[in-house]
Amino acid sequence: MEYVYAALILHETDEEINEDNLTGVLEAAGVDVEESRVKALVAALEDVDVEEAIETAAAAPAGGAGGA
Amino acid sequence: MEYVYAALILHETDEEINEDNLTGVLEAAGVDVEESRVKALVAALEDVDVEEAIETAAAAPAGGAGGA
Amino acid sequence: MEYVYAALILHETDEEINEDNLTGVLEAAGVDVEESRVKALVAALEDVDVEEAIETAAAAPAGGAGGA
Amino acid sequence: MEYVYAALILHETDEEINEDNLTGVLEAAGVDVEESRVKALVAALEDVDVEEAIETAAAAPAGGAGGA
Amino acid sequence: MEYVYAALILHETDEEINEDNLTGVLEAAGVDVEESRVKALVAALEDVDVEEAIETAAAAPAGGAGGA
Amino acid sequence: MEYVYAALILHETDEEINEDNLTGVLEAAGVDVEESRVKALVAALEDVDVEEAIETAAAAPAGGAGGA
Amino acid sequence: MSAEAERKTETIPEWKREEIDDLAAFLGRYESVGVVDITGIPSRQLQDMRRELHGTAALRVSRNTLMERALAEVDEGLEALVEFVEGQVGLIGTNDNPFGLYQQLEESKTPAPISAGEVAPNDVVIPEGDTGVDPGPFVGELQTVGANARIEGGSIKVVEDSTVLSAGEEVSADLANVLGELGIEPKEVGLDLRGVVSEGVSFSPEELDIDVEEYIADLEAASSAARNLSINAEYPTARTVPSMLAKAAGEAKSVGLSAAVESPDLADDLVSKADAQMRSLAAAIDDEEALPEELRG
């Protein structure tokens, strides 16, 4: 899931979700990055409106996220 | 949000969620890191079972996101 | 369940779900294909809208998808 | 999704989920196989208990359940 | 589904669920029996505890699951 | 329950659920047919929408088959 | 020579012969023939019932010995009904199905008061509730016949459903009084089918009393069983293959999400899942300073 988290960090900071940026974030976290997964993720997200996907999630009974 | 995602990446890769690591991940994503927020997050997560929190979300209907 | 998975692969790739194609996919996976089961599956699928059936699954809560 | 289905067929037939086997199944289904996706899939499944993930789906109200 | 019902009649009456018996029951009901479907059913039931399979709730139907 | 299964076979094959047809199916399954039960079943089903009953059963989280 | 055979050979008066032939002709006109108990039904009410049955069934009453003769003479298994010819009975015939006839007769039964000395056809129950009777000696009468009664809030109440007589027992004068006072009518008066022969097959009243709801429940159970078997044994049919497809698709989705497979088909869900996990983790954090504004509770 770390690849997806990395993509979302980039999304939050308005950086492009591309192979270089993803690899950079993941390597900074000490991940032994697999190029193929990065490629596949970039391809998979190509046609996805990340903002919309997040809003759908937020709108739904938010992930069991009850109080602390 | 990016701070929390950064914490999740570190958790996923079994790296310690400390100030250095968080700062590193965030900077790699081009974030202009606020030291005080990093400190606060590290302190706050000290008492949190991250795995458990993640699983709570997973158990709930995954974000209603439809579309195959 | 491998016969059903094979049908779904063919559906995803817009190939016809017929005996030859199913057998081909299954054999490529090393399955000792039973002709009668292939025939039965093709017969059962004759009047079925595969896409509609799949969408029902997609609409359902995404299988608790636990794990990291 | 055809890549995942291919992995599931291999899982059902107790064949190893590796690049060669996946590519073989997908090609038999007429898929124009992308090597990076195959590699990514193999890597992604490496740390996952496929059987458990399948059972998780079964536990959830598969299909029929109203959509989100 | 008539093939399955035929198997269940035989099961209820403690008759063996084999090709001959299934064909006999189906023909008596005016079915134009397909040998392959009979074979497939016998094969499918070979390793199944019919009593248990009957009682174990299966997945709910996919949406518009009409079909004859 | 074999009498009910026999009725369901006839329903599936669009044959009339009458005494002759039921008796035929049951005898083919080796049942020592009780005429009074056949008559009662035919009478009982006269005003029943068999298709509706099947759909109701399919929609419900199919519990174990009770009944005699 | 048996008594029965002896009777057959005796010389029969002409009018009896004619009546038997007439009865036999009556029996021959119907696919289903039954014996009904008409005990205690006044002749005028019997006329009303005849009228109500018109078009679906016909009722014929005669001397028992003659009815027995006719039943024995007509073939088609009607001799099985002879044993029911006892007391005040009649013959009933219909070309509709006998189950429908049974139901019609049951529905046409009306409640009636029971008198002292009569035998209760079923358990007699005085139901729980306010009798509406003012406090007085009636409470004692209730208690005497076995009802759990007491005075409460200015009237006599029966505290719980009280069975005051079992089926087959004789009604006492006291009980008949109490039931009359309460307006309880424990009898069901009407044509009571004792047995039917339909196209050679005998039916008892119990067999004729079919519960359609039960058959529907059986149909549902049987079709569930078949669904379960089909899916669990992985034998696809047109009815079950959509569920099997959905199940397989659900499995693939579950595997794909739990492995975070980078597939376009899963991208939406993976993003949603990551977001949900992030929110869940944020919700577990107590210190709001550690969270961005959007995530503060």
Side-chain angles (χ1 to χ4, degrees):
Chain A
M1 206 64 177
E2 59 273 25
Y3 292 74
V4 182
Y5 296 140
L8 285 171
I9 292 187
L10 292 170
H11 171 75
E12 288 288 320
T13 55
D14 286 328
E15 296 285 324
E16 204 192 335
I17 302 177
N18 59 27
E19 293 178 36
D20 278 359
N21 289 344
L22 281 172
T23 307
V25 172
L26 289 164
E27 277 178 351
V31 178
D32 184 11
V33 184
E34 278 174 59
E35 207 190 315
S36 65
R37 294 192 72 175
V38 172
K39 260 189 212 292
L41 181 57
V42 171
L45 288 176
E46 222 154 61
D47 298 323
V48 171
D49 182 334
V50 175
E51 201 51 43
E52 197 185 295
I54 288 174
E55 271 160 26
T56 319
Chain B
M1 327 267 234
E2 58 273 26
Y3 288 71
V4 186
Y5 281 129
L8 284 168
I9 294 187
L10 291 170
H11 171 75
E12 202 74 350
T13 53
D14 286 327
E15 295 287 322
E16 203 190 335
I17 302 178
N18 60 27
E19 294 176 37
D20 277 0
N21 288 342
L22 279 173
T23 307
V25 172
L26 289 165
E27 279 179 351
V31 178
D32 185 9
V33 186
E34 283 173 57
E35 207 187 317
S36 64
R37 287 187 60 187
V38 171
K39 267 186 207 293
L41 182 57
V42 171
L45 286 177
E46 234 152 54
D47 300 325
V48 171
D49 183 336
V50 177
E51 195 55 36
E52 196 185 299
I54 289 176
E55 270 163 24
T56 315
Chain C
M1 209 64 169
E2 58 272 24
Y3 290 73
V4 180
Y5 292 137
L8 284 170
I9 292 187
L10 291 169
H11 171 75
E12 290 280 320
T13 54
D14 285 327
E15 296 286 323
E16 204 193 333
I17 303 178
N18 59 26
E19 292 177 36
D20 277 358
N21 289 343
L22 281 172
T23 307
V25 172
L26 289 164
E27 278 178 351
V31 177
D32 185 9
V33 184
E34 281 174 56
E35 204 190 319
S36 64
R37 294 188 67 180
V38 171
K39 269 183 205 287
L41 179 57
V42 171
L45 285 172
E46 221 156 63
D47 298 319
V48 169
D49 184 335
V50 176
E51 195 54 37
E52 196 184 301
I54 291 175
E55 269 163 26
T56 317
Chain D
M1 209 64 164
E2 58 272 26
Y3 289 72
V4 182
Y5 290 133
L8 287 173
I9 294 186
L10 292 169
H11 172 75
E12 286 280 317
T13 53
D14 286 326
E15 296 286 322
E16 202 191 335
I17 302 178
N18 59 28
E19 294 177 37
D20 277 359
N21 288 343
L22 282 172
T23 306
V25 172
L26 289 165
E27 279 179 350
V31 178
D32 185 10
V33 185
E34 282 174 58
E35 203 189 317
S36 66
R37 288 190 67 182
V38 171
K39 266 185 208 292
L41 179 58
V42 172
L45 289 177
E46 225 153 57
D47 300 324
V48 170
D49 182 335
V50 175
E51 196 53 40
E52 197 185 296
I54 288 175
E55 273 160 25
T56 315
Chain E
M1 201 69 158
E2 58 271 26
Y3 291 73
V4 181
Y5 288 133
L8 284 169
I9 292 189
L10 293 170
H11 173 72
E12 286 280 320
T13 54
D14 286 327
E15 297 284 322
E16 202 191 337
I17 303 177
N18 59 26
E19 293 179 34
D20 277 359
N21 289 344
L22 282 172
T23 306
V25 172
L26 289 165
E27 278 178 351
V31 178
D32 185 11
V33 184
E34 282 175 57
E35 203 190 317
S36 64
R37 297 184 71 174
V38 171
K39 265 185 208 295
L41 180 55
V42 172
L45 292 179
E46 224 153 60
D47 301 324
V48 170
D49 179 335
V50 174
E51 202 51 45
E52 196 185 300
I54 287 173
E55 275 162 23
T56 309
Chain F
M1 207 66 167
E2 57 272 26
Y3 288 73
V4 179
Y5 287 130
L8 283 168
I9 292 188
L10 292 170
H11 171 77
E12 287 286 315
T13 54
D14 284 328
E15 296 286 322
E16 204 192 334
I17 302 177
N18 60 26
E19 293 176 36
D20 278 357
N21 289 343
L22 282 172
T23 306
V25 172
L26 289 165
E27 279 178 350
V31 177
D32 186 11
V33 184
E34 282 174 58
E35 222 176 316
S36 62
R37 289 187 65 183
V38 170
K39 271 183 198 286
L41 180 58
V42 171
L45 293 184
E46 223 157 61
D47 298 322
V48 169
D49 184 336
V50 175
E51 192 55 34
E52 195 185 300
I54 290 173
E55 273 162 24
T56 310
Chain G
M1 202 177 249
S2 75
E4 197 183 337
E6 208 170 311
R7 237 188 298 139
K8 271 184 184 160
T9 53
E10 84 195 60
T11 348
I12 307 174
E14 184 61 17
W15 71 268
K16 281 192 180 177
R17 187 65 253 165
E18 277 173 14
E19 175 71 357
I20 290 169
D21 288 347
D22 205 40
L23 285 168
F26 171 85
L27 295 174
R29 280 199 290 275
Y30 300 100
E31 286 170 12
S32 302
V33 169
V35 173
V36 285
D37 193 334
I38 56 174
T39 307
I41 304 178
S43 61
R44 180 181 297 171
Q45 210 178 326
L46 203 57
Q47 288 306 319
D48 291 345
M49 287 173 173
R50 243 189 248 273
R51 213 173 302 123
E52 274 173 38
L53 287 172
H54 185 73
T56 55
L59 181 66
R60 185 80 159 70
V61 180
S62 185
R63 291 195 188 188
N64 285 6
T65 50
L66 302 183
M67 292 193 286
E68 282 176 15
R69 279 279 173 104
L71 286 169
E73 280 183 17
V74 179
D75 224 358
E76 299 164 12
L78 293 188
E79 62 277 2
L81 292 173
V82 171
E83 61 166 313
F84 300 118
V85 181
E86 198 187 317
Q88 286 179 273
V89 298
L91 298 173
I92 194 164
T94 184
N95 287 323
D96 290 353
N97 87 54
F99 305 93
L101 176 64
Y102 175 83
Q103 210 178 342
Q104 193 186 354
L105 294 182
E106 285 303 300
E107 281 165 6
S108 69
K109 285 183 177 173
T110 51
I114 197 162
S115 321
E118 283 192 79
V119 170
N122 31 45
D123 289 358
V124 178
V125 177
I126 297 180
E128 175 190 344
D130 194 337
T131 62
V133 179
D134 289 340
F138 188 56
V139 72
E141 291 173 35
L142 278 167
Q143 286 161 353
T144 304
V145 300
N148 187 355
R150 64 164 176 253
I151 293 165
E152 203 179 290
S155 65
I156 298 172
K157 286 202 172 66
V158 175
V159 182
E160 59 184 359
D161 285 354
S162 306
T163 303
V164 293
L165 197 68
S166 299
E169 290 180 347
E170 197 176 299
V171 178
S172 67
D174 284 349
L175 181 56
N177 276 338
V178 168
L179 293 174
E181 183 80 20
L182 294 173
I184 293 173
E185 300 184 326
K187 280 203 302 187
E188 282 205 313
V189 176
L191 301 175
D192 201 28
L193 262 184
R194 288 183 174 179
V196 168
V197 170
S198 178
E199 293 167 327
V201 183
S202 302
F203 292 92
S204 67
E206 293 73 34
E207 287 172 321
L208 291 173
D209 184 13
I210 51 176
D211 183 348
V212 173
E213 294 302 318
E214 216 170 274
Y215 279 94
I216 292 175
D218 280 352
L219 279 176
E220 287 175 5
S223 72
S224 283
R227 271 189 72 76
N228 289 346
L229 183 58
S230 167
I231 293 171
N232 291 328
E234 293 178 18
Y235 174 79
T237 68
R239 278 194 194 275
T240 50
V241 85
S243 289
M244 294 169 78
L245 290 169
K247 187 176 173 219
E251 286 170 356
K253 192 174 172 184
S254 179
V255 169
L257 284 180
S258 68
V261 174
E262 291 83 1
S263 156
D265 296 322
L266 293 169
D268 270 317
D269 287 328
L270 285 171
V271 169
S272 295
K273 184 183 171 190
D275 181 66
Q277 288 177 332
M278 183 271 291
R279 283 174 198 283
S280 184
L281 180 56
I285 291 174
D286 263 340
D287 179 8
E288 300 220 325
E289 294 303 313
L291 298 171
E293 269 175 43
E294 313 93 275
L295 295 176
R296 289 181 190 171

